[in-house]
Amino acid sequence: MAERDAARRAGPARQRPDPAGKHYEEEEEEDALPDSDALPDSDDEVDLDKPRPIQIVLAHEDDHNFELDEEALEKILLQEHIKDLNIVVVSVAGAFRKGKSFLLDFMLRYMYNRTSPCWIGGNTEPLTGFTWRGGCERETTGIQIWSEVFVIDKPNGTKVAVLLMDTQGAFDSQSTIKDCATVFALSTMTSSVQVYNLSQNIQEDDLQHLQLFTEYGRLAMEEIYQKPFQTLMFLIRDWSYPYEHAYGLEGGKKFLEKRLQVKQNQHEELQNVRKHIHSCFSNLGCFLLPHPGLKVATNPNFDGRLNDIDEDFKKELRNLVPLLLAPENLVEKEISGSKVTCRDLVEYFKAYIKIYQGEELPHPKSMLQATAEANNLAAVAGAKDLYSKGMEQVCGGDKPYIAPSDLEQKHQDFRESAVRQFRSVKKMGGEEFCQRYQEQLEVEIDEIYANFVKHNDGKNIFYAARTPATLFAVMFAMYITSGLTGFLGMNSIATLCNLMLGMALISFCTWAYVKYSGEFREVGTAIDQIAEAIWEQVLKPMSDNLMEDHMRQSVKNSIKAGLTEQVSHHARLKTD
């Protein structure tokens, strides 16, 4: 952009937008809008009486980290007359020294004089507002917003708040890739219209840089069928091929369609870049802006006066700015389909800046992953709740005891219903990612089922009596064994049996106290587990064996009795 080669504006007087928004007024140099070195620090009081750029995202060059000036942001966006209005955020982002702040100052002129056909200003009026200058070194750092939020009446009668945002240029010699990506991502996530400021053409690396920030949107869109970002306007500065594509919106539309066209013979990587961009923005546009003229590029004293700018540039500028800021063209900020108020935007800024305050720039998927995890966990919670409510109706609370086989069948039915509900919920993250949460759901349902089984068993009077019955059986067995071994003179075995008898008696008394008082429940649980182990490992196999022997003996006796009966019958027949 040719403006980058001009020197800082100069002159005895500068004009600044009148806060009343109706005209420009000449001021002495000392009353001009402050330069970048005069911007308030985060610790200074933000003065809203005098409109000026306010830095809300501070760039720390020493550790390449960013900090949100919450106090400054809240003072601007939480003003009583705007805090509950839906907000329109127009941001300009792109490489450094490409005239972003220069463009935003013309937007300010329009906002202060939008009812006038001559909003672009007089031929001899210097351009002020967001600080800008010529040269090869960067001017803006972090993210700045204009301190005055404009309240606009839309054609449908609603009022909206319009916020203009300026961003640090990308890819300068002092910024890391992390710095550039952070600023671009923050501005894209918080703006309703992102102007992607490019010079002369759309190059493949421009699209690849954009792809980094659209990856999050592309993945999210696949699951929720909603594009995460709103309007992206490619602004091509210094367009030198009007004979191929005319200046303005229509020429830009045809040029963009050609640039973003997916062709069969393209490499897969190139196709993916274009598919990403299409899938992440609700609206894509392109505007071709001509070169502003040699005077802008070569005059070291250029200060933005219109008489130094070519007519073609001014003509297209008159078309571009209303295209973005006219009341009928304003795009209100939305997130997840809901319109965002000024109050909401403060909270979104706070949430987003935390993502980027770590040691490493998170991959765009990390934002998706955080959202997808919450999305899947919510689906898991809903499915578990469905399962639990169903099981409660069967065996919960005051419900009577149910046969274990019937309970297991109900468990399988409700488990399948819960899994179906989980799968029916629209979730982010992809099939493989969601499969992990389905497996987690199934494991947790099985754990809940185990608790329901214990709860149901507790209603079985025979199950409840298992521990005292087992302890009583142990005491009875030890008593009989002790008596027999003592009678036979095996005193050591008799003593051991008496010891076990005493321990079983103490355990029985302790268990009874725990059940009565509710105290020392861990001890009661341990006694139940020991009793269950004795039952499963000793008493139950013994009873099963005795039952089996009894059944076998009964069968033998029955067969024997039958054979004897048949022999007797034959003997009687022979005698007769």
Side-chain angles (χ1 to χ4, degrees):
M1 178 60 201
E3 297 96 280
R4 67 181 182 274
D5 299 323
R8 180 184 290 273
R9 58 193 178 280
R14 296 179 183 177
Q15 45 101 281
R16 62 180 283 263
D18 177 26
K22 298 300 181 184
H23 62 278
Y24 287 87
E25 60 186 19
E26 296 290 335
E27 292 190 346
E28 295 301 318
E29 179 70 19
E30 59 269 22
D31 294 328
L33 288 174
D35 290 333
S36 58
D37 54 2
L39 289 177
D41 296 330
S42 58
D43 296 332
D44 296 338
E45 187 71 18
V46 177
D47 182 12
L48 298 182
D49 295 333
K50 185 177 181 181
R52 57 179 173 176
I54 300 296
Q55 190 148 0
I56 58 167
V57 176
L58 312 173
H60 298 296
E61 294 185 2
D62 52 348
D63 59 357
H64 293 279
N65 210 341
F66 291 88
E67 176 188 356
L68 179 67
D69 189 343
E70 295 183 11
E71 183 179 354
L73 184 64
E74 290 174 352
K75 187 160 187 178
I76 294 172
L77 293 183
L78 296 185
Q79 298 177 75
E80 196 63 35
H81 69 290
I82 64 167
K83 64 181 181 180
D84 294 319
L85 294 179
N86 293 338
I87 192 167
V88 176
V89 184
V90 178
S91 169
V92 182
F96 82 114
R97 309 312 304 149
K98 302 295 183 182
K100 297 184 297 299
S101 302
F102 180 82
L103 173 66
L104 277 162
D105 287 343
F106 280 107
M107 292 185 186
L108 282 174
R109 281 193 177 182
Y110 177 81
M111 295 306 296
Y112 280 109
N113 299 273
R114 59 187 176 278
T115 58
S116 170
C118 301
W119 61 266
I120 200 169
N123 286 333
T124 60
E125 295 173 354
L127 185 64
T128 59
F130 287 96
T131 56
W132 64 275
R133 63 180 176 85
C136 60
E137 298 299 327
R138 72 178 184 182
E139 176 69 9
T140 305
T141 60
I143 294 179
Q144 298 178 3
I145 60 175
W146 192 247
S147 63
E148 182 173 351
V149 181
F150 303 94
V151 178
I152 305 297
D153 293 315
K154 295 189 72 175
N156 61 7
T158 61
K159 292 182 181 294
V160 296
V162 179
L163 182 69
L164 298 183
M165 181 186 297
D166 192 12
T167 65
Q168 172 180 321
F171 315 119
D172 66 345
S173 61
Q174 301 176 55
S175 300
T176 64
I177 293 296
K178 173 188 173 181
D179 298 339
C180 303
T182 300
V183 171
F184 202 121
L186 280 173
S187 63
T188 303
M189 295 166 74
T190 55
S191 63
S192 54
V193 178
Q194 177 71 291
V195 179
Y196 192 15
N197 191 69
L198 301 173
S199 177
Q200 299 181 342
N201 211 329
I202 299 179
Q203 301 182 146
E204 194 61 32
D205 61 336
D206 297 324
L207 299 180
Q208 290 173 356
H209 290 142
L210 186 61
Q211 182 191 22
L212 175 64
F213 311 114
T214 58
E215 176 71 3
Y216 167 65
R218 184 190 69 83
L219 292 175
M221 184 277 297
E222 287 180 353
E223 296 297 330
I224 63 174
Y225 304 97
Q226 187 175 21
K227 300 183 180 182
F229 308 128
Q230 290 175 263
T231 298
L232 177 68
M233 174 67 75
F234 289 87
L235 179 60
I236 314 301
R237 311 288 286 269
D238 303 346
W239 179 248
S240 302
Y241 316 105
Y243 49 86
E244 291 184 353
H245 299 284
Y247 297 132
L249 186 64
E250 287 304 315
K253 181 180 179 181
K254 295 177 182 178
F255 171 68
L256 186 64
E257 287 176 354
K258 186 176 180 181
R259 271 287 183 268
L260 296 185
Q261 183 180 5
V262 178
K263 301 176 183 178
Q264 291 296 329
N265 59 349
Q266 278 181 323
H267 189 278
E268 183 181 0
E269 178 183 337
L270 303 179
Q271 292 184 13
N272 287 337
V273 170
R274 286 152 178 79
K275 290 177 182 177
H276 288 341
I277 295 171
H278 277 296
S279 65
C280 288
F281 290 91
S282 301
N283 182 38
L284 291 172
C286 181
F287 196 97
L288 304 179
L289 199 61
H291 194 285
L294 288 177
K295 288 185 178 179
V296 175
T298 59
N299 183 2
N301 297 316
F302 175 68
D303 59 1
R305 297 171 193 263
L306 293 178
N307 56 9
D308 292 331
I309 301 176
D310 282 3
E311 286 300 323
D312 284 345
F313 184 88
K314 290 185 285 188
K315 175 185 174 182
E316 297 303 330
L317 198 60
R318 291 187 181 95
N319 296 328
L320 170 64
V321 176
L323 180 68
L324 299 172
L325 296 174
E328 63 273 15
N329 296 329
L330 292 175
V331 180
E332 297 172 52
K333 177 63 181 171
E334 294 182 6
I335 294 179
S336 300
S338 301
K339 292 185 178 180
V340 175
T341 64
C342 294
R343 188 203 305 267
D344 297 334
L345 189 63
V346 173
E347 299 306 317
Y348 279 112
F349 257 112
K350 292 178 182 179
Y352 291 151
I353 198 70
K354 288 180 181 178
I355 298 175
Y356 294 100
Q357 285 181 331
E359 290 297 322
E360 297 295 333
L361 172 70
H363 192 279
K365 285 185 179 179
S366 66
M367 290 182 289
L368 169 68
Q369 190 167 355
T371 308
E373 285 177 359
N375 183 210
N376 279 271
L377 287 172
V380 168
K384 283 168 55 180
D385 186 59
L386 175 68
Y387 172 83
S388 297
K389 286 181 178 178
M391 292 294 286
E392 285 286 346
Q393 294 296 320
V394 173
C395 64
D398 55 353
K399 300 296 180 181
Y401 173 75
I402 182 174
S405 59
D406 294 339
L407 181 63
E408 184 175 3
Q409 183 59 48
K410 292 292 185 181
H411 157 68
Q412 293 296 340
D413 294 342
F414 290 130
R415 188 176 189 267
E416 291 175 5
S417 298
V419 172
R420 277 199 304 272
Q421 173 169 313
F422 174 81
R423 294 185 65 84
S424 67
V425 175
K426 291 181 179 179
K427 300 177 292 298
M428 299 166 63
E431 183 64 27
E432 185 177 348
F433 184 84
C434 296
Q435 183 63 33
R436 298 204 303 267
Y437 283 89
Q438 181 177 327
E439 293 170 358
Q440 176 184 334
L441 169 65
E442 293 170 350
V443 169
E444 292 181 2
I445 284 178
D446 289 340
E447 292 174 354
I448 296 173
Y449 171 63
N451 291 328
F452 275 113
V453 169
K454 292 180 180 178
H455 183 66
N456 185 61
D457 288 342
K459 298 175 183 178
N460 186 344
I461 186 171
F462 295 103
Y463 180 86
R466 177 182 295 180
T467 296
T470 300
L471 294 175
F472 181 78
V474 169
M475 288 188 289
F476 180 77
M478 293 300 103
Y479 176 76
I480 297 299
T481 306
S482 174
L484 289 175
T485 54
F487 178 76
L488 297 174
M490 294 183 285
N491 294 328
S492 58
I493 297 178
T495 303
L496 180 61
C497 290
N498 287 329
L499 179 60
M500 295 178 65
L501 171 63
M503 292 178 62
L505 179 61
I506 293 172
S507 297
F508 178 81
C509 296
T510 303
W511 179 88
Y513 176 78
V514 169
K515 294 299 180 183
Y516 173 77
S517 67
E519 300 177 359
F520 309 109
R521 289 185 298 174
E522 295 81 2
V523 176
T525 301
I527 294 173
D528 284 330
Q529 291 174 348
I530 293 171
E532 184 173 1
I534 294 172
W535 172 263
E536 294 292 339
Q537 301 298 326
V538 180
L539 298 182
K540 187 177 181 181
M542 288 177 61
S543 64
D544 290 343
N545 290 335
L546 290 173
M547 184 67 69
E548 185 179 347
D549 292 342
H550 177 72
M551 292 296 294
R552 188 182 296 111
Q553 189 64 38
S554 297
V555 170
K556 286 182 180 180
N557 292 337
S558 298
I559 294 172
K560 190 174 182 180
L563 292 174
T564 304
E565 181 68 26
Q566 289 181 4
V567 169
S568 300
H569 180 67
H570 284 298
R572 285 195 300 270
L573 288 175
K574 288 180 178 181
T575 303
D576 296 340

